[in-house]
Coordinates of all heavy atoms in Angstrom, one line a residue:
M1 N 133.5 127.0 -6.3 CA 133.6 127.4 -7.7 C 132.4 127.0 -8.4 O 132.1 125.8 -8.3 CB 135.0 126.9 -8.3 CG 135.2 127.3 -9.7 SD 136.7 126.8 -10.4 CE 137.6 128.2 -10.0
L2 N 131.8 127.9 -9.2 CA 130.8 127.5 -10.0 C 131.1 126.9 -11.3 O 132.2 127.2 -11.9 CB 129.9 128.7 -10.4 CG 129.2 129.3 -9.1 CD1 128.5 130.6 -9.6 CD2 128.2 128.4 -8.5
C3 N 130.3 125.9 -11.8 CA 130.8 125.1 -12.9 C 129.5 125.1 -13.8 O 128.4 124.6 -13.3 CB 131.1 123.8 -12.6 SG 131.5 122.7 -14.0
S4 N 129.5 125.5 -15.1 CA 128.3 125.3 -16.0 C 128.3 124.1 -16.6 O 129.4 123.5 -16.8 CB 128.3 126.5 -17.0 OG 129.4 126.3 -17.9
I5 N 127.1 123.5 -16.9 CA 127.0 122.3 -17.6 C 126.4 122.6 -18.9 O 125.3 123.2 -19.1 CB 126.0 121.4 -16.8 CG1 126.7 121.0 -15.5 CG2 125.8 120.0 -17.7 CD1 125.8 120.1 -14.6
T6 N 127.2 122.1 -20.0 CA 126.7 122.4 -21.3 C 126.5 120.9 -22.0 O 127.4 120.1 -21.9 CB 127.7 123.2 -22.1 OG1 128.0 124.4 -21.5 CG2 127.2 123.4 -23.5
N7 N 125.4 120.8 -22.7 CA 125.1 119.6 -23.4 C 125.0 119.8 -24.9 O 123.9 120.4 -25.3 CB 124.0 118.8 -22.7 CG 123.8 117.5 -23.4 OD1 124.3 117.2 -24.5 ND2 123.0 116.7 -22.8
D8 N 125.9 119.5 -25.7 CA 125.8 119.8 -27.1 C 125.9 118.5 -27.9 O 126.5 118.4 -29.0 CB 126.6 120.9 -27.7 CG 128.1 120.5 -27.6 OD1 128.5 119.5 -26.9 OD2 129.0 121.1 -28.2
I9 N 125.2 117.4 -27.4 CA 125.3 116.1 -28.1 C 124.7 116.2 -29.5 O 125.2 115.6 -30.4 CB 124.6 115.1 -27.2 CG1 125.3 114.8 -26.0 CG2 124.4 113.8 -28.0 CD1 124.6 113.9 -24.9
E10 N 123.6 116.8 -29.6 CA 122.9 116.8 -30.9 C 123.8 117.5 -32.0 O 123.8 117.1 -33.2 CB 121.6 117.5 -30.8 CG 120.7 116.8 -30.0 CD 120.5 115.3 -30.5 OE1 120.3 115.1 -31.7 OE2 120.5 114.4 -29.7
S11 N 124.5 118.6 -31.8 CA 125.3 119.3 -32.8 C 126.5 120.1 -32.2 O 126.2 120.5 -31.1 CB 124.4 120.2 -33.6 OG 123.9 121.2 -32.8
D12 N 127.5 120.2 -32.9 CA 128.6 121.1 -32.3 C 128.3 122.4 -32.5 O 128.0 122.9 -33.7 CB 129.9 120.6 -33.1 CG 130.5 119.3 -32.6 OD1 130.2 118.9 -31.5 OD2 131.2 118.7 -33.4
Q13 N 128.2 123.1 -31.4 CA 127.9 124.5 -31.4 C 129.0 125.3 -31.6 O 130.1 125.0 -31.1 CB 127.2 125.0 -30.1 CG 125.9 124.2 -29.8 CD 125.3 124.4 -28.4 OE1 126.0 125.1 -27.7 NE2 124.2 123.8 -28.2
P14 N 129.0 126.3 -32.5 CA 130.2 127.1 -32.8 C 130.8 127.8 -31.6 O 132.0 128.1 -31.6 CB 129.7 128.1 -33.9 CG 128.2 128.0 -33.9 CD 127.8 126.8 -33.3
N15 N 130.0 128.2 -30.6 CA 130.5 128.8 -29.5 C 131.1 127.9 -28.3 O 131.4 128.4 -27.3 CB 129.4 129.8 -28.9 CG 128.2 129.0 -28.4 OD1 128.1 127.8 -28.6 ND2 127.3 129.7 -27.8
S16 N 131.1 126.7 -28.6 CA 131.6 125.7 -27.6 C 133.1 125.9 -27.4 O 133.8 126.2 -28.3 CB 131.4 124.2 -28.1 OG 132.0 123.4 -27.2
S17 N 133.5 125.9 -26.2 CA 134.9 126.1 -25.8 C 135.7 124.7 -26.0 O 136.9 124.8 -25.7 CB 135.1 126.6 -24.4 OG 134.6 125.7 -23.5
I18 N 135.1 123.7 -26.3 CA 135.7 122.3 -26.4 C 135.7 121.9 -27.9 O 134.6 121.9 -28.5 CB 135.1 121.3 -25.5 CG1 135.2 121.6 -24.1 CG2 135.8 119.9 -25.8 CD1 136.6 121.6 -23.5
V19 N 136.8 121.6 -28.5 CA 136.8 121.2 -30.0 C 137.3 119.8 -29.9 O 138.2 119.4 -29.4 CB 137.8 122.2 -30.7 CG1 137.8 121.7 -32.2 CG2 137.5 123.6 -30.6
L20 N 136.6 119.0 -30.7 CA 136.9 117.5 -30.9 C 137.1 117.2 -32.4 O 136.1 117.6 -33.2 CB 135.9 116.7 -30.3 CG 136.0 115.1 -30.3 CD1 135.1 114.6 -29.2 CD2 135.6 114.6 -31.6
F21 N 138.2 116.8 -32.8 CA 138.3 116.5 -34.2 C 139.5 115.4 -34.3 O 140.3 115.3 -33.5 CB 138.7 117.7 -35.0 CG 140.1 118.3 -34.6 CD1 141.2 118.1 -35.2 CD2 140.1 119.3 -33.6 CE1 142.4 118.6 -34.8 CE2 141.3 119.9 -33.2 CZ 142.5 119.5 -33.8
P22 N 139.5 114.6 -35.5 CA 138.6 114.6 -36.5 C 137.3 113.8 -36.0 O 137.5 112.9 -35.0 CB 139.2 113.8 -37.6 CG 140.2 112.9 -36.9 CD 140.7 113.7 -35.7
N23 N 136.2 114.1 -36.5 CA 135.0 113.4 -36.2 C 134.1 113.3 -37.5 O 133.6 114.2 -37.9 CB 134.2 114.2 -35.1 CG 133.0 113.3 -34.4 OD1 133.0 112.2 -34.7 ND2 132.3 114.0 -33.7
P24 N 134.0 112.1 -38.0 CA 134.4 110.8 -37.4 C 135.9 110.5 -37.4 O 136.6 111.1 -38.1 CB 133.7 109.7 -38.4 CG 133.3 110.5 -39.7 CD 133.3 111.9 -39.2
S25 N 136.2 109.6 -36.5 CA 137.6 109.1 -36.3 C 137.8 107.7 -36.5 O 136.9 106.9 -36.3 CB 138.0 109.6 -35.0 OG 139.3 109.3 -34.7
R26 N 139.1 107.3 -36.9 CA 139.3 105.9 -37.0 C 140.1 105.2 -35.8 O 139.8 104.3 -35.2 CB 140.2 105.6 -38.3 CG 139.4 105.8 -39.5 CD 140.2 105.4 -40.7 NE 139.5 105.8 -41.9 CZ 138.8 105.1 -42.7 NH1 138.6 103.9 -42.3 NH2 138.2 105.5 -43.7
S27 N 141.2 105.9 -35.3 CA 142.0 105.4 -34.3 C 142.3 106.3 -33.1 O 142.8 106.0 -32.1 CB 143.4 104.9 -34.9 OG 144.1 106.0 -35.5
E28 N 142.2 107.7 -33.4 CA 142.4 108.7 -32.4 C 141.7 110.0 -32.7 O 141.4 110.1 -33.8 CB 144.0 108.9 -32.1 CG 144.7 109.5 -33.2 CD 146.2 109.6 -33.1 OE1 146.8 108.9 -32.2 OE2 146.8 110.4 -33.8
F29 N 141.6 110.7 -31.7 CA 141.0 112.1 -31.9 C 141.6 113.1 -30.9 O 142.4 112.7 -30.0 CB 139.4 112.0 -31.6 CG 139.0 111.8 -30.2 CD1 138.9 112.8 -29.3 CD2 138.7 110.4 -29.9 CE1 138.4 112.6 -28.0 CE2 138.3 110.2 -28.5 CZ 138.1 111.2 -27.7
F30 N 141.5 114.4 -31.3 CA 142.2 115.3 -30.5 C 141.1 116.2 -29.8 O 140.1 116.5 -30.4 CB 143.0 116.2 -31.4 CG 143.8 117.3 -30.7 CD1 144.9 117.0 -30.0 CD2 143.4 118.7 -30.8 CE1 145.6 118.0 -29.4 CE2 144.1 119.6 -30.2 CZ 145.2 119.3 -29.4
L31 N 141.3 116.6 -28.6 CA 140.4 117.5 -27.8 C 141.2 118.8 -27.4 O 142.4 118.6 -27.1 CB 139.9 116.7 -26.5 CG 138.8 115.9 -26.6 CD1 138.7 115.1 -25.3 CD2 137.6 116.5 -27.1
K32 N 140.6 119.9 -27.6 CA 141.2 121.1 -27.3 C 140.2 122.0 -26.5 O 139.1 122.1 -26.9 CB 141.7 121.8 -28.5 CG 142.4 123.1 -28.3 CD 142.9 123.8 -29.4 CE 143.6 125.2 -29.3 NZ 144.4 125.4 -28.3
S33 N 140.6 122.6 -25.4 CA 139.8 123.5 -24.7 C 140.4 124.9 -24.9 O 141.5 125.3 -24.7 CB 139.9 123.2 -23.2 OG 139.2 124.1 -22.4
T34 N 139.4 125.8 -25.1 CA 139.9 127.2 -25.4 C 139.8 128.1 -24.1 O 140.2 129.3 -24.2 CB 139.1 127.9 -26.6 OG1 137.7 127.8 -26.2 CG2 139.4 127.1 -27.8
N35 N 139.1 127.7 -23.1 CA 138.9 128.5 -21.9 C 139.6 128.1 -20.6 O 139.7 128.8 -19.7 CB 137.5 128.8 -21.7 CG 136.8 127.7 -21.2 OD1 137.2 126.6 -21.1 ND2 135.4 127.9 -20.8
A36 N 139.9 126.8 -20.5 CA 140.6 126.2 -19.3 C 141.1 124.9 -19.6 O 140.6 124.2 -20.4 CB 139.4 126.2 -18.1
P37 N 142.2 124.5 -18.8 CA 142.7 123.1 -19.1 C 141.7 122.0 -18.8 O 140.9 122.1 -17.9 CB 143.8 123.0 -18.1 CG 144.2 124.5 -17.8 CD 142.9 125.2 -17.9
I38 N 141.8 121.0 -19.6 CA 140.9 119.9 -19.5 C 141.4 119.1 -18.2 O 142.6 118.8 -18.1 CB 141.0 118.9 -20.8 CG1 140.5 119.6 -22.0 CG2 140.2 117.6 -20.5 CD1 140.8 119.0 -23.2
Q39 N 140.4 118.7 -17.3 CA 140.8 118.0 -16.1 C 140.5 116.5 -16.2 O 141.2 115.7 -15.7 CB 140.1 118.6 -14.9 CG 140.4 120.0 -14.7 CD 139.7 120.5 -13.4 OE1 138.6 120.1 -13.1 NE2 140.3 121.6 -12.9
Q40 N 139.4 116.2 -16.9 CA 139.0 114.8 -17.0 C 138.3 114.5 -18.3 O 137.5 115.4 -18.8 CB 138.1 114.5 -15.8 CG 137.7 113.0 -15.7 CD 137.0 112.6 -14.6 OE1 136.3 113.6 -13.9 NE2 136.8 111.4 -14.2
I41 N 138.5 113.3 -18.8 CA 137.8 112.9 -20.0 C 137.2 111.5 -19.8 O 137.9 110.6 -19.2 CB 138.8 112.8 -21.2 CG1 139.3 114.1 -21.5 CG2 138.0 112.2 -22.5 CD1 140.4 114.1 -22.6
R42 N 136.0 111.4 -20.1 CA 135.2 110.1 -19.9 C 134.6 109.7 -21.2 O 134.0 110.5 -21.8 CB 134.2 110.1 -18.7 CG 134.9 110.4 -17.4 CD 133.9 110.7 -16.3 NE 133.0 109.7 -16.2 CZ 131.8 109.9 -15.4 NH1 131.6 110.9 -14.8 NH2 131.0 108.9 -15.2
I43 N 134.7 108.4 -21.7 CA 134.1 108.0 -22.9 C 133.0 107.0 -22.5 O 133.3 105.9 -21.7 CB 135.1 107.4 -23.8 CG1 136.2 108.5 -24.3 CG2 134.3 106.8 -25.1 CD1 137.2 108.0 -25.1
F44 N 131.8 107.1 -23.1 CA 130.7 106.2 -22.8 C 130.2 105.6 -24.1 O 130.2 106.4 -25.1 CB 129.5 106.9 -22.1 CG 129.9 107.5 -20.8 CD1 130.4 108.8 -20.6 CD2 129.7 106.8 -19.6 CE1 130.7 109.4 -19.4 CE2 130.0 107.4 -18.3 CZ 130.5 108.6 -18.2
N45 N 129.7 104.4 -24.1 CA 128.9 103.9 -25.2 C 127.5 104.4 -25.0 O 127.2 105.0 -24.0 CB 129.1 102.4 -25.3 CG 128.4 101.6 -24.2 OD1 127.6 102.2 -23.4 ND2 128.7 100.3 -24.0
L46 N 126.6 104.2 -26.1 CA 125.3 104.7 -26.0 C 124.3 104.0 -25.0 O 123.2 104.4 -24.7 CB 124.7 104.7 -27.3 CG 125.2 105.6 -28.4 CD1 124.6 105.4 -29.7 CD2 125.2 107.0 -27.8
M47 N 124.9 102.8 -24.4 CA 124.1 102.2 -23.3 C 124.4 102.9 -22.0 O 123.9 102.5 -20.9 CB 124.5 100.7 -23.3 CG 124.1 100.0 -24.5 SD 122.3 100.0 -24.8 CE 121.8 98.9 -23.6
G48 N 125.4 103.8 -22.0 CA 125.8 104.5 -20.7 C 127.0 103.9 -20.0 O 127.4 104.4 -18.9
K49 N 127.5 102.8 -20.5 CA 128.7 102.1 -19.9 C 129.9 103.1 -20.1 O 130.3 103.4 -21.2 CB 128.9 100.7 -20.5 CG 130.1 100.0 -19.8 CD 130.2 98.7 -20.5 CE 131.4 97.9 -19.8 NZ 131.7 96.7 -20.4
E50 N 130.6 103.3 -19.0 CA 131.9 104.0 -19.0 C 133.0 103.1 -19.6 O 133.3 102.1 -19.1 CB 132.3 104.5 -17.7 CG 133.5 105.5 -17.8 CD 133.9 106.1 -16.4 OE1 133.4 107.0 -16.1 OE2 134.6 105.3 -15.7
L51 N 133.7 103.6 -20.7 CA 134.7 102.8 -21.2 C 136.1 103.3 -21.1 O 137.1 102.5 -21.0 CB 134.5 102.7 -22.8 CG 133.1 102.2 -23.3 CD1 133.0 102.4 -24.8 CD2 132.9 100.8 -22.8
E52 N 136.3 104.6 -20.8 CA 137.5 105.2 -20.5 C 137.2 106.4 -19.5 O 136.2 107.0 -19.5 CB 138.1 105.9 -21.8 CG 138.4 105.0 -22.9 CD 139.8 104.3 -22.7 OE1 140.7 104.8 -22.0 OE2 140.0 103.2 -23.5
N53 N 138.3 106.6 -18.6 CA 138.2 107.6 -17.8 C 139.6 108.0 -17.5 O 140.4 107.3 -16.9 CB 137.6 107.1 -16.3 CG 137.3 108.3 -15.4 OD1 138.0 109.3 -15.4 ND2 136.4 108.0 -14.5
K54 N 140.0 109.3 -17.9 CA 141.3 109.8 -17.9 C 141.4 111.1 -17.1 O 140.6 112.0 -17.5 CB 141.9 109.9 -19.3 CG 142.0 108.6 -20.0 CD 142.6 108.9 -21.4 CE 142.6 107.6 -22.2 NZ 143.8 106.7 -21.9
A55 N 142.3 111.2 -16.2 CA 142.6 112.5 -15.6 C 143.7 113.1 -16.5 O 144.7 112.6 -16.7 CB 143.0 112.3 -14.1
I56 N 143.4 114.3 -16.8 CA 144.2 115.1 -17.8 C 144.3 116.6 -17.4 O 143.3 117.1 -17.1 CB 143.8 115.0 -19.2 CG1 143.8 113.5 -19.6 CG2 144.6 115.8 -20.2 CD1 143.5 113.1 -21.0
Y57 N 145.5 117.2 -17.3 CA 145.5 118.6 -16.9 C 146.3 119.3 -18.1 O 147.4 119.9 -17.8 CB 146.2 118.7 -15.6 CG 145.4 118.0 -14.5 CD1 145.7 116.7 -14.2 CD2 144.4 118.6 -14.0 CE1 144.9 116.1 -13.2 CE2 143.6 118.1 -13.0 CZ 144.0 116.8 -12.6 OH 143.1 116.1 -11.7
K58 N 145.7 119.3 -19.2 CA 146.2 120.0 -20.4 C 145.1 120.7 -21.2 O 143.9 120.4 -21.0 CB 146.9 119.0 -21.4 CG 148.1 118.2 -20.7 CD 148.6 117.3 -21.8 CE 149.8 116.5 -21.2 NZ 150.3 115.5 -22.2
E59 N 145.5 121.7 -22.0 CA 144.5 122.4 -22.9 C 144.2 121.6 -24.1 O 143.2 121.7 -24.8 CB 145.0 123.8 -23.2 CG 145.0 124.6 -22.0 CD 145.4 126.1 -22.2 OE1 145.8 126.4 -23.4 OE2 145.5 126.9 -21.3
G60 N 145.1 120.7 -24.5 CA 144.9 119.9 -25.7 C 145.5 118.5 -25.4 O 146.5 118.3 -24.8
V61 N 144.8 117.5 -26.0 CA 145.2 116.0 -25.8 C 144.7 115.2 -26.9 O 143.7 115.4 -27.4 CB 144.7 115.5 -24.3 CG1 143.2 115.5 -24.4 CG2 145.4 114.3 -24.0
T62 N 145.5 114.1 -27.3 CA 145.1 113.1 -28.2 C 144.8 111.9 -27.4 O 145.4 111.4 -26.6 CB 146.3 112.8 -29.2 OG1 146.7 114.1 -29.9 CG2 146.0 111.8 -30.2
I63 N 143.6 111.3 -27.9 CA 143.0 110.2 -27.2 C 143.0 109.0 -28.3 O 142.4 109.1 -29.3 CB 141.6 110.4 -26.7 CG1 141.6 111.6 -25.8 CG2 141.1 109.1 -26.1 CD1 142.3 111.4 -24.4
N64 N 143.6 107.9 -27.9 CA 143.7 106.7 -28.8 C 142.4 106.0 -28.5 O 142.1 105.4 -27.4 CB 144.9 105.9 -28.4 CG 145.0 104.7 -29.4 OD1 144.1 104.1 -29.8 ND2 146.3 104.5 -29.7
I65 N 141.7 105.6 -29.7 CA 140.5 104.9 -29.6 C 140.5 103.6 -30.4 O 139.5 103.1 -30.8 CB 139.2 105.7 -29.9 CG1 139.3 106.4 -31.2 CG2 138.9 106.7 -28.8 CD1 138.1 107.0 -31.7
A66 N 141.7 103.2 -30.8 CA 141.9 102.1 -31.7 C 141.3 100.8 -31.2 O 140.8 100.0 -31.9 CB 143.4 101.9 -32.1
N67 N 141.2 100.7 -29.8 CA 140.7 99.5 -29.2 C 139.1 99.4 -29.1 O 138.6 98.4 -28.8 CB 141.2 99.4 -27.8 CG 140.8 100.4 -26.9 OD1 140.7 101.6 -27.4 ND2 140.6 100.2 -25.6
L68 N 138.5 100.5 -29.5 CA 137.1 100.6 -29.4 C 136.5 100.1 -30.8 O 137.0 100.5 -31.9 CB 136.5 102.0 -29.2 CG 136.9 102.6 -27.8 CD1 136.4 104.0 -27.7 CD2 136.4 101.7 -26.7
P69 N 135.3 99.3 -30.8 CA 134.7 99.0 -32.1 C 134.1 100.2 -32.7 O 133.8 101.2 -32.1 CB 133.7 97.9 -31.6 CG 133.5 98.2 -30.2 CD 134.7 98.8 -29.6
A70 N 133.8 100.0 -34.0 CA 133.1 101.2 -34.7 C 131.7 101.4 -34.0 O 131.1 100.5 -33.6 CB 133.0 100.7 -36.2
G71 N 131.3 102.7 -33.9 CA 130.1 103.0 -33.4 C 130.0 104.4 -33.0 O 130.9 105.3 -33.3
I72 N 128.9 104.9 -32.2 CA 128.9 106.1 -31.7 C 129.1 106.2 -30.2 O 128.6 105.3 -29.5 CB 127.4 106.7 -32.0 CG1 127.2 106.7 -33.5 CG2 127.3 108.0 -31.4 CD1 125.8 107.0 -34.0
Y73 N 129.8 107.2 -29.8 CA 130.3 107.2 -28.3 C 130.0 108.7 -27.8 O 129.9 109.6 -28.6 CB 131.8 106.9 -28.2 CG 132.1 105.5 -28.6 CD1 132.4 105.1 -29.9 CD2 132.0 104.5 -27.6 CE1 132.7 103.8 -30.2 CE2 132.2 103.2 -28.0 CZ 132.6 102.9 -29.3 OH 132.8 101.6 -29.7
L74 N 129.8 108.8 -26.5 CA 129.7 110.1 -26.0 C 131.1 110.3 -25.1 O 131.5 109.6 -24.4 CB 128.6 110.1 -24.9 CG 127.2 109.8 -25.6 CD1 126.2 109.8 -24.5 CD2 126.9 110.7 -26.7
V75 N 131.6 111.6 -25.4 CA 132.9 112.0 -24.7 C 132.5 113.2 -23.8 O 132.0 114.2 -24.2 CB 133.9 112.4 -25.9 CG1 135.1 112.9 -25.1 CG2 134.2 111.4 -26.8
E76 N 132.6 112.8 -22.5 CA 132.5 113.9 -21.5 C 133.8 114.6 -21.2 O 134.8 113.9 -20.9 CB 131.8 113.3 -20.3 CG 131.6 114.3 -19.2 CD 131.2 113.6 -17.9 OE1 131.8 112.7 -17.4 OE2 130.2 114.1 -17.4
V77 N 133.8 116.0 -21.3 CA 135.1 116.7 -21.1 C 134.7 117.6 -19.9 O 133.8 118.4 -19.9 CB 135.4 117.4 -22.3 CG1 136.7 118.2 -22.0 CG2 135.6 116.6 -23.5
I78 N 135.5 117.5 -18.9 CA 135.4 118.4 -17.6 C 136.5 119.3 -17.5 O 137.7 118.8 -17.6 CB 135.2 117.5 -16.4 CG1 134.0 116.6 -16.6 CG2 135.1 118.3 -15.1 CD1 133.9 115.6 -15.6
T79 N 136.3 120.6 -17.4 CA 137.2 121.6 -17.0 C 136.9 122.2 -15.8 O 135.9 122.0 -15.2 CB 137.4 122.7 -18.2 OG1 136.2 123.6 -18.1 CG2 137.5 122.1 -19.5
A80 N 137.6 123.2 -15.2 CA 137.3 123.9 -14.0 C 136.1 124.8 -14.2 O 135.4 125.1 -13.3 CB 138.5 124.7 -13.6
K81 N 135.8 125.1 -15.5 CA 134.7 126.1 -15.8 C 133.4 125.4 -16.3 O 132.3 126.0 -16.3 CB 135.2 127.1 -16.8 CG 136.2 127.9 -16.3 CD 136.5 129.0 -17.2 CE 137.6 129.9 -16.6 NZ 138.0 131.1 -17.6
E82 N 133.6 124.1 -16.9 CA 132.4 123.6 -17.5 C 132.5 122.0 -17.7 O 133.6 121.5 -17.5 CB 132.1 124.2 -18.9 CG 133.1 124.1 -19.9 CD 132.9 124.8 -21.0 OE1 131.8 125.3 -21.4 OE2 133.9 125.1 -21.8
R83 N 131.3 121.4 -18.0 CA 131.3 120.1 -18.4 C 130.5 120.0 -19.6 O 129.4 120.4 -19.7 CB 130.6 119.2 -17.3 CG 130.3 117.8 -17.6 CD 129.3 117.2 -16.5 NE 128.7 116.0 -17.1 CZ 127.6 115.9 -17.7 NH1 126.8 116.9 -17.9 NH2 127.2 114.8 -18.1
I84 N 131.2 119.4 -20.7 CA 130.6 119.3 -22.0 C 130.6 117.8 -22.5 O 131.5 117.1 -22.3 CB 131.3 120.2 -23.0 CG1 131.2 121.6 -22.7 CG2 130.8 120.0 -24.4 CD1 131.9 122.6 -23.6
V85 N 129.5 117.4 -23.1 CA 129.4 116.1 -23.7 C 129.3 116.2 -25.3 O 128.5 117.0 -25.7 CB 128.1 115.3 -23.2 CG1 128.0 114.0 -23.8 CG2 128.1 115.2 -21.7
K86 N 130.2 115.6 -26.0 CA 130.4 115.6 -27.4 C 130.1 114.3 -27.9 O 130.4 113.2 -27.3 CB 131.8 116.0 -27.8 CG 132.2 117.4 -27.5 CD 131.7 118.3 -28.4 CE 132.4 119.7 -28.3 NZ 131.9 120.6 -29.3
K87 N 129.5 114.1 -29.1 CA 129.3 112.9 -29.8 C 130.4 112.6 -30.6 O 130.9 113.5 -31.3 CB 127.9 113.0 -30.6 CG 127.7 111.7 -31.4 CD 126.4 111.8 -32.1 CE 126.5 112.7 -33.3 NZ 125.3 112.7 -34.2
L88 N 130.9 111.3 -30.6 CA 132.0 110.9 -31.4 C 131.6 109.8 -32.2 O 131.1 108.8 -31.7 CB 133.2 110.6 -30.5 CG 134.4 109.9 -31.2 CD1 135.1 111.0 -32.1 CD2 135.4 109.3 -30.3
V89 N 132.0 109.8 -33.5 CA 131.7 108.6 -34.3 C 133.0 107.9 -34.7 O 134.0 108.5 -35.1 CB 131.0 109.1 -35.6 CG1 130.8 107.9 -36.6 CG2 129.7 109.7 -35.5
K90 N 133.0 106.6 -34.3 CA 134.3 105.8 -34.6 C 134.0 104.9 -35.8 O 133.1 104.2 -35.8 CB 134.6 105.0 -33.3 CG 135.5 103.8 -33.5 CD 137.0 104.3 -33.5 CE 138.0 103.3 -33.8 NZ 138.0 101.8 -33.7
E91 N 134.8 105.1 -36.7 CA 134.8 104.3 -38.0 C 135.4 103.0 -37.9 O 136.4 102.8 -37.2 CB 135.3 105.1 -39.2 CG 134.5 106.3 -39.6 CD 135.1 107.2 -40.7 OE1 136.3 107.1 -40.9 OE2 134.3 107.7 -41.4

């Protein structure tokens, strides 16, 4: 199966099939996929260290980030059709 890789770290593109909100966030955020169920979510700090790795098989999910310090994180979302990296700001 072919999988496309999309990187929209710099800005949320309106045609992206993954929606992340609210952003910035304080304690949790919601992810929604419009084209395929989310299979995996990984959260990284800006140094590249993986902080969370969750296997998920849903089109929408709430992720608790209350344990993370304030800062900027990268959220990698993997579906059967694509891999997208989103920037998340934790207040």
Side-chain angles (χ1 to χ4, degrees):
M1 176 176 271
L2 294 176
C3 178
S4 68
I5 297 176
T6 304
N7 183 344
D8 66 347
I9 293 173
E10 293 303 316
S11 64
D12 285 335
Q13 299 172 356
N15 62 352
S16 175
S17 63
I18 302 294
V19 179
L20 182 155
F21 64 91
N23 194 9
S25 178
R26 292 184 188 265
S27 61
E28 63 184 20
F29 66 91
F30 184 75
L31 282 169
K32 180 173 172 53
S33 173
T34 58
N35 72 351
I38 297 169
Q39 295 179 339
Q40 184 177 15
I41 297 168
R42 296 167 59 190
I43 300 176
F44 298 89
N45 65 18
L46 291 182
M47 300 296 289
K49 180 179 179 183
E50 184 179 272
L51 305 173
E52 298 277 341
N53 188 337
K54 298 180 182 277
I56 299 181
Y57 298 95
K58 298 179 181 179
E59 290 181 358
V61 64
T62 300
I63 304 293
N64 186 322
I65 55 168
N67 63 324
L68 296 178
I72 298 173
Y73 297 91
L74 302 178
V75 179
E76 179 185 53
V77 182
I78 300 170
T79 71
K81 296 184 178 184
E82 62 190 337
R83 175 189 164 268
I84 293 179
V85 177
K86 296 275 195 180
K87 179 175 72 173
L88 171 68
V89 177
K90 164 80 179 343
E91 294 181 328

